[in-house]
Amino acid sequence: MPIVDIHTHMYPPSYMSLLRRRTKVPYVRTFPDSPISRLIILPGEDGPSMPSTSRGRPISSEYYDVTEKIKFMDQHGIEASVISLANPWLDFLEPEQAAETARSMNDEMEEICTRYEGRLWAFGVLPLSGSTEEIVAEAGRLSTLNHMRGIVMGTTGLGDGLDDPKLDPIYEAIEKNGQLIFLHPHYGLPKEVFGPRANNYGHVLPLALGFPLETTIAVTRMYLSGVWERFSKLNVLLAHSGGTLPFLAGRIESCIAHERHFLKEKENGKIRRSIWNVLKTNIYLDAVIYGQVGLHAAIEASGADRVLFGTDHPFFPPLGEDEREWLSVRTNYDAIQSGCQETTGEADQVLGGNAVRILKLNLSRL
């Protein structure tokens, strides 16, 4: 069974040019004490009190050169990848720029995939700061592009979260088109949560804890607001194995059962699907979890047939100059091999079979 990477990012050349022209977050720049270009994508990452190693991240050709992507895939035995624009996507654009930039970015990603036919597919982006009409139109156009397999989206949606009723016509269009949303965090938690010495720990707290909790909160808000009651066929792939959602789903259910607001719903005859049902019907999880315990939770929550391998490339690169194998990839491989039932072929399905089936990937040219 081929190995397919569904969580792998890229900043195409035109996006890099956009970031290099900017003077406020997000942007790419150098600092006097760190001449290597650094990618600054979060507010406060470039503050004068911030240690140089915490100012964004050094950015190299792995972030924007597709030949580096292919080299990485070959090195780690990955037959095919579904690439996506990395955060913060196009969330920061002025409304008048959004639609044209989204079209251009999606066309560029489509062209990149065409160059590597049979090895690359992509998740497209939507002009979420534009008008609803522009967003719906681009979603429809994406569904006509040969290599597009869904849409990558952050947790803020139009700016007010994924439970915003203004997203309903967009969800409706995505559901009608049969597109998959790849939901990825970016904004994390308020920095005060991590305490006054958080800068001493680099990116560990926001990445290890902030990102997963951001995803958990965003999806829980979707569920509580009834998104899946209104759009029962809306499918979402959650990054980082759904954050803490598989672990906390039972607690969420219990809190709903003891909340008078939702008791009134039941008294009025409204029947809400359980979050477990949504996890096994509308939600897919990637396997970017780096541990057997977390992988077990993902499989138990959504099913082994709904968990898909990913690498999060080009993030989490080796720190040693002579290291060729990426520890992050090896850790995920090991978790899947040791955490799946060998007799049922679960590992092969997670590593590639599920992606081929769910995303309808034609690997015959490999």
Side-chain angles (χ1 to χ4, degrees):
M1 179 62 66
I3 295 175
V4 179
D5 182 359
I6 56 84
H7 186 157
T8 178
H9 300 297
M10 184 176 176
Y11 292 122
S14 64
Y15 191 85
M16 286 298 300
S17 297
L18 175 63
L19 293 183
R20 293 185 188 280
R21 291 195 303 269
R22 289 176 56 83
T23 58
K24 59 182 180 180
V25 177
Y27 62 93
V28 171
R29 62 164 288 187
T30 60
F31 295 88
D33 59 346
S34 180
I36 299 173
S37 290
R38 299 189 75 88
L39 173 67
I40 312 296
I41 56 176
L42 293 174
E45 280 191 323
D46 56 350
S49 63
M50 185 74 70
S52 61
T53 55
S54 296
R55 292 175 182 167
R57 51 184 52 81
I59 188 164
S60 58
S61 57
E62 282 90 355
Y63 285 79
Y64 51 82
D65 186 343
V66 66
T67 62
E68 293 290 340
K69 180 74 70 183
I70 298 297
K71 187 187 302 182
F72 167 83
M73 292 167 59
D74 291 343
Q75 183 179 335
H76 293 88
I78 297 168
E79 280 83 356
S81 291
V82 185
I83 58 176
S84 56
L85 183 65
N87 47 307
W89 314 284
L90 306 180
D91 290 4
F92 57 92
L93 291 179
E94 296 297 325
E96 62 272 14
Q97 298 176 294
E100 182 180 350
T101 304
R103 284 193 297 270
S104 174
M105 204 67 60
N106 289 326
D107 287 345
E108 186 173 7
M109 294 289 262
E110 175 71 13
E111 188 276 327
I112 289 171
C113 293
T114 302
R115 269 190 275 156
Y116 292 90
E117 189 67 47
R119 297 209 68 185
L120 296 181
W121 283 265
F123 294 119
V125 289
L126 295 179
L128 293 177
S129 59
S131 68
T132 299
E133 292 75 17
E134 289 171 330
I135 299 169
V136 169
E138 186 59 16
R141 195 182 76 89
L142 279 172
S143 68
T144 69
L145 300 182
N146 290 336
H147 297 88
M148 291 295 166
R149 289 301 181 267
I151 294 159
V152 64
M153 186 183 295
T155 62
T156 61
L158 304 177
D160 289 328
L162 300 179
D163 55 352
D164 182 358
K166 293 178 182 177
L167 279 165
D168 276 10
I170 298 161
Y171 288 147
E172 182 180 11
I174 292 171
E175 181 186 53
K176 181 181 177 181
N177 297 335
Q179 292 165 306
L180 177 70
I181 296 174
F182 176 31
L183 184 62
H184 194 289
H186 170 67
Y187 298 94
L189 301 178
K191 62 180 182 180
E192 293 78 14
V193 170
F194 301 119
R197 287 170 291 283
N199 287 348
N200 297 343
Y201 315 131
H203 291 92
V204 172
L205 291 174
L207 293 184
L209 302 179
F211 270 21
L213 288 168
E214 175 189 347
T215 300
T216 304
I217 293 168
V219 177
T220 304
R221 286 171 59 181
M222 289 179 73
Y223 174 72
L224 292 175
S225 69
V227 166
W228 281 289
E229 309 305 322
R230 299 191 298 279
F231 308 103
S232 61
K233 295 183 180 179
L234 182 69
N235 293 321
V236 182
L237 167 63
L238 303 183
H240 314 126
S241 296
T244 60
L245 190 61
F247 181 76
L248 293 178
R251 183 174 178 83
I252 294 167
E253 282 281 286
S254 178
C255 288
I256 292 172
H258 292 86
E259 175 57 54
R260 292 191 180 278
H261 171 81
F262 295 107
L263 178 62
K264 291 179 180 178
E265 281 188 353
K266 187 178 293 187
E267 291 173 349
N268 292 332
K270 182 177 179 180
I271 300 175
R272 177 184 294 272
R273 294 164 58 196
S274 74
I275 196 165
W276 297 110
N277 179 269
V278 172
L279 277 164
K280 293 183 182 296
T281 306
N282 299 92
I283 287 178
Y284 299 96
L285 304 174
D286 75 15
V288 183
I289 193 63
Y290 310 110
Q292 185 176 329
V293 173
L295 183 70
H296 276 158
I299 290 174
E300 285 295 317
S302 289
D305 60 337
R306 303 179 72 83
V307 178
L308 297 81
F309 173 73
T311 64
D312 216 348
H313 181 264
F315 300 97
F316 300 99
L319 297 181
E321 292 184 4
D322 298 328
E323 292 182 64
R324 286 183 51 79
E325 184 181 44
W326 288 45
L327 174 63
S328 56
V329 179
R330 171 48 53 196
T331 305
N332 270 336
Y333 274 148
D334 290 346
I336 292 168
Q337 295 291 357
S338 61
C340 291
Q341 295 184 26
E342 186 175 348
T343 55
T344 60
E346 280 185 356
D348 284 345
Q349 293 306 304
V350 171
L351 286 169
N354 292 338
V356 170
R357 171 178 52 84
I358 294 163
L359 299 176
K360 298 179 175 62
L361 306 181
N362 181 4
L363 303 186
S364 61
R365 297 194 181 193
L366 294 180

